[in-house]
Amino acid sequence: MTPQEKLQRCYQSVRAKTNFTPAIALILGSGLGDFAENITVEQTIAYQEIEGFPVSTVRGHKGRFIFGTLGGVPVVAMQGRVHYYEGYTMQDVVLPTRLMGLLGAKVLFLTNAAGGVNQSFSSGDFMLIEDQISCFVPSPLIGANLEELGTRFPDMTTIYDKPLRETIANTASSLSIPLQKGVYIQLSGPQFETPAEVRMCGLLGADAAGMSTACEAIAAHHMGLRVCGISCISNMAAGISGQPLTHQEVDETAARVAPQFKQLITSSIIAIGNTL
Ligand code: HPA
């Protein structure tokens, strides 16, 4: 089955269950899935219920779409995403993103837990993603171009939409939530980086490192969605604090900052929804 056929099959499978049309699609990162509590839920669809859908294997990733509203704005949220390190092809990794675009979303709001590379960051900070480095993982656009989605050679000058970034920055400041800004680098994982790799990331201009997001941003931008994203700095990247890294630390930090994170995301989505 071609990626396009697979995408169409998933689309038909979701459309057979709901005719909900989201305005904003949201991907919830590691430990950030509780945000879904803020949504007035209309319907949930478990990934297993969708024919041909890649199902995540990471603990703490619930694996379902939540359709509902946030302050009246129709949203679809992914509670749990699919990662490249699980063994899926990049086309499969971005299938859910494309699916949410096909369902009608105009904006993709990405979130993730990431390691702080910029030494002025602290664990628990939020970082507005301004640009990204994805060239250490394969492009999700490799293979026959899906012409009905976008062009073969898409421009990537401004992946992260400027007006959306401004709205999020204004929202953070009105809530008095400090917001760092920077460049996200996607590495394959699943191992955390070595200190030498973290130094390399810094030299290349990255401020935060993670194992997701950039590929989804490319696929969304390719098909014309407006993209924005926030990283939760769940830990300082390897070698900066001298402490060994664990997935537990990632989850604990995410849980600690979850209330502020929920506030920032909810208010940003409502503010963005009002501009659509
Ligand atoms: N590196 C890569 N991905 C991550 C990290 C990290 O330090 N923390 C959370 N996700």
Side-chain angles (χ1 to χ4, degrees), residues 9 13 17 22 28 52 57 59 77 101 152 157 171 201 206 222 227 275:
R9 198 171 67 151
S13 177
K17 300 181 206 306
L28 297 168
T57 55
R59 274 178 302 125
R152 171 78 289 188
T157 306
T171 303
C201 292
H222 172 247
V227 178
T275 69

Side-chain angles (χ1 to χ4, degrees), residues 109-214:
F109 200 127
L110 290 157
T111 69
N112 59 54
V117 173
N118 184 322
Q119 305 236 8
S120 73
F121 290 2
S122 307
S123 142
D125 280 356
F126 300 128
M127 184 190 87
L128 180 65
I129 306 176
E130 296 199 298
D131 201 352
Q132 67 181 35
I133 299 171
S134 71
C135 55
F136 292 95
V137 292
S139 168
L141 307 183
I142 289 174
N145 184 47
L146 305 186
E147 288 295 329
E148 56 286 16
L149 297 186
T151 181
R152 171 78 289 188
F153 299 109
D155 173 64
M156 292 285 148
T157 306
T158 313
I159 303 182
Y160 293 89
D161 185 272
K162 241 180 150 186
L164 296 183
R165 280 190 263 152
E166 280 165 14
T167 303
I168 294 169
N170 291 338
T171 303
S173 98
S174 72
L175 294 169
S176 303
I177 294 176
L179 186 63
Q180 307 279 10
K181 293 179 181 171
V183 173
Y184 178 91
I185 185 168
Q186 179 175 3
L187 301 164
S188 76
Q191 77 282 6
F192 290 115
E193 302 73 37
T194 64
E197 286 164 343
V198 171
R199 287 193 297 275
M200 174 195 76
C201 292
L203 284 170
L204 295 179
D207 298 291
M211 306 174 192
S212 65
T213 301

